């Protein structure tokens, strides 16, 4: 199988048509398995998947170190590393309260540590994970542009920002892409963010395309979540919300069966079908899940299939917010 490529905006890099989000390999989704994670990263790169997304706060740096170990055995030029910064951790593994540190000084400081942990001279795309309302986005992007001019980053990205912020940022420096949650259960970006990105020639990398596993077809109402799994506190995984969302997944599963695919593959293919300027990120932590996700790149959804999927999971049908209220309040994209 050959993975097609897509270009992230007019100024961004050409990447595989599907990317790998590495967060779950080190953090927030329960116990980690470094050996399987490295094997999965190797399998991804060997299959032609080039875009790997991480953050300096995933596992308090452990995720970057893990990726560096995996890439020691692969060519750096075959990988497009997308790195987020800004969130702060505590020694016990928790997160410090917002606001995020995206000051110009933090841009340079956090980048220095990421370069060392990733064992690389440059990051392909560097982006703030969230914004700080007390720090103008122009200041953050200005510092990123300095690092780009110095050769330490190749492209500037953003994450979870609204249309107005995108315009302000793009007035300072070219933006390759905006990373934002986008799936059959999270359709918010369609209102203003996606139209603005297309107007400005900016790509979109969609995370959460399987809605943290809900749309995978593998989730059950009785699944036990460990203390370190943030989904235990996510509204969409609670009580009646979970039951309602699983009914939507069951409906999607019936469509997938008729189309000869898995539920997760249909969910991924739907996101990819929303435009050539959109690259879905999958959070596969194991090789078998990666293989399932990669097969989605070969699915072609015609108008009838898209209509059937839309009928199974209509826009706005998700039960519960995608984050708990305190985290929702930090999202510029939701304002």
């Amino acid at each position: 199988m050959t993975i097609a490529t897509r270009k992230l905006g007019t100024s961004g890099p050409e990447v595989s048509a599907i990317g790998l989000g590495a967060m779950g390999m080190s953090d927030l989704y329960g116990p980690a398995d470094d050996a399987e994670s490295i094997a999965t990263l190797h399998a991804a790169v060997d299959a032609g998947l080039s875009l790997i997304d991480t953050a300096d706060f995933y596992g308090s740096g452990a995720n970057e170190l893990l990726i560096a170990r995996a890439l020691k055995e692969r060519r750096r030029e075959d990988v497009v590393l997308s790195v987020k910064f800004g969130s702060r951790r505590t020694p016990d593994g928790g997160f410090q309260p917002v606001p995020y540190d995206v000051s110009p000084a933090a841009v340079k400081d956090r980048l220095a540590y990421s370069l060392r942990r990733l064992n690389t001279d440059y990051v392909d795309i560097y982006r703030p994970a969230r914004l700080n309302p007390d720090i103008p986005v122009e200041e953050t992007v200005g510092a990123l542009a300095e690092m780009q001019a110095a050769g330490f980053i190749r492209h500037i990205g953003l994450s979870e920002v609204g249309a107005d912020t995108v315009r302000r940022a793009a007035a300072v420096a070219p933006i390759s892409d905006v990373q934002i949650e986008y799936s059959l259960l999270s359709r918010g970006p369609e209102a203003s963010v996606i139209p603005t990105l297309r107007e400005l020639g900016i790509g979109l990398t969609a995370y959460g395309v399987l809605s943290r596993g809900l749309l995978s077809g593998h989730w059950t109402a009785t699944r036990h979540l460990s203390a370190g799994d943030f989904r235990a506190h996510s509204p969409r995984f609670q009580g009646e919300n979970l039951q309602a969302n699983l009914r939507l997944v069951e409906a999607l599963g019936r469509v997938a069966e008729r189309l000869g695919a898995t539920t997760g593959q249909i969910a991924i293919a739907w996101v990819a079908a929303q435009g050539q300027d959109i690259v879905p990120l999958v959070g596969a932590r194991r090789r078998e899940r990666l293989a399932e996700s990669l097969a989605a790149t070969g699915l072609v959804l015609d108008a009838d299939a898209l209509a059937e999927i839309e009928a199974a999971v209509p826009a706005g049908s998700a039960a519960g917010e995608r984050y708990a209220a305190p985290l929702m309040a930090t999202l510029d994209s939701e304002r």
Side-chain angles (χ1 to χ4, degrees):
M1 179 184 66
T2 301
I3 301 178
T5 60
R6 294 184 172 185
K7 195 170 189 304
L8 286 178
T10 56
S11 69
E14 187 170 302
V15 301
S16 51
I18 188 171
L20 180 62
M23 179 187 77
M25 294 180 176
S26 303
D27 213 0
L28 300 175
Y29 282 171
D33 182 339
D34 284 1
E36 180 60 27
S37 294
I38 289 174
T40 302
L41 286 160
H42 284 167
V45 176
D46 293 345
L49 186 155
S50 62
L51 179 61
I52 297 176
D53 181 77
T54 184
D56 62 10
F57 50 87
Y58 291 168
S60 301
N63 198 241
E64 291 179 317
L65 292 169
L66 177 76
I67 290 171
R69 286 168 57 195
L71 295 187
K72 280 178 65 176
E73 302 176 33
R74 297 298 184 273
R75 298 193 312 164
R76 174 67 178 88
E77 58 268 31
D78 290 339
V79 177
V80 176
L81 288 174
S82 169
V83 181
K84 296 183 292 294
F85 72 96
S87 187
R88 298 175 295 182
R89 303 297 295 262
T90 57
D92 62 0
F95 285 83
Q96 293 188 42
V98 292
Y100 297 88
D101 190 355
V102 293
S103 65
V107 168
K108 300 169 185 179
D109 177 71
R110 300 297 284 271
L111 177 59
Y113 284 98
S114 284
L115 291 171
R116 179 60 63 90
R117 283 190 292 260
L118 288 165
N119 192 31
T120 184
D121 297 327
Y122 66 94
V123 167
D124 296 276
I125 310 172
Y126 199 54
R127 71 182 85 236
R130 301 288 187 271
L131 294 182
N132 183 326
D134 295 325
I135 301 173
V137 68
E138 291 86 351
E139 292 185 10
T140 304
V141 173
L144 289 167
E146 289 182 30
M147 294 298 93
Q148 184 180 34
F152 295 119
I153 64 176
R154 297 282 174 87
H155 304 280
I156 299 170
L158 297 171
S159 178
E160 286 291 355
V161 291
D164 290 344
T165 300
V166 171
R167 291 185 187 281
R168 290 169 53 198
V172 176
I175 306 298
S176 65
D177 66 305
V178 169
Q179 190 176 112
I180 197 166
E181 184 171 354
Y182 184 45
S183 72
L184 280 164
L185 293 180
S186 297
R187 304 283 292 272
E190 294 175 348
S192 61
V193 173
I194 291 178
T196 300
L197 297 182
R198 288 178 172 160
E199 176 191 337
L200 299 175
I202 298 171
L204 185 149
T205 49
Y207 76 89
V209 294
L210 294 180
S211 199
R212 277 97 176 163
L214 266 179
L215 290 169
S216 67
H218 304 296
W219 202 271
T220 65
T222 57
R223 178 168 174 172
H224 173 72
L225 295 175
S226 65
D229 194 321
F230 93 100
R231 290 171 294 192
H233 311 285
S234 174
R236 290 183 178 174
F237 290 82
Q238 308 301 312
E240 293 182 1
N241 285 348
L242 177 60
Q243 298 295 337
N245 290 327
L246 287 177
R247 287 193 291 272
L248 294 174
V249 177
E250 289 174 5
L252 184 63
R254 291 190 288 270
V255 176
E257 186 175 1
R258 287 194 288 275
L259 294 175
T262 69
T263 306
Q265 287 167 347
I266 292 299
I268 295 166
W270 179 87
V271 172
Q274 303 312 301
Q276 287 292 314
D277 52 352
I278 297 175
V279 175
L281 296 173
V282 296
R285 298 194 293 166
R286 307 189 67 82
R287 283 167 285 181
E288 61 265 31
R289 291 288 180 258
L290 173 69
E292 179 184 355
S293 295
L294 290 179
T297 63
L299 291 176
V300 178
L301 302 176
D302 60 21
D304 290 340
L306 289 170
E308 198 173 357
I309 293 167
E310 183 79 25
V313 189
S317 60
E321 297 285 0
R322 54 195 180 104
Y323 291 108
L327 289 178
M328 287 294 291
T330 71
L331 299 178
D332 181 78
S333 56
E334 295 287 340
R335 295 193 179 104

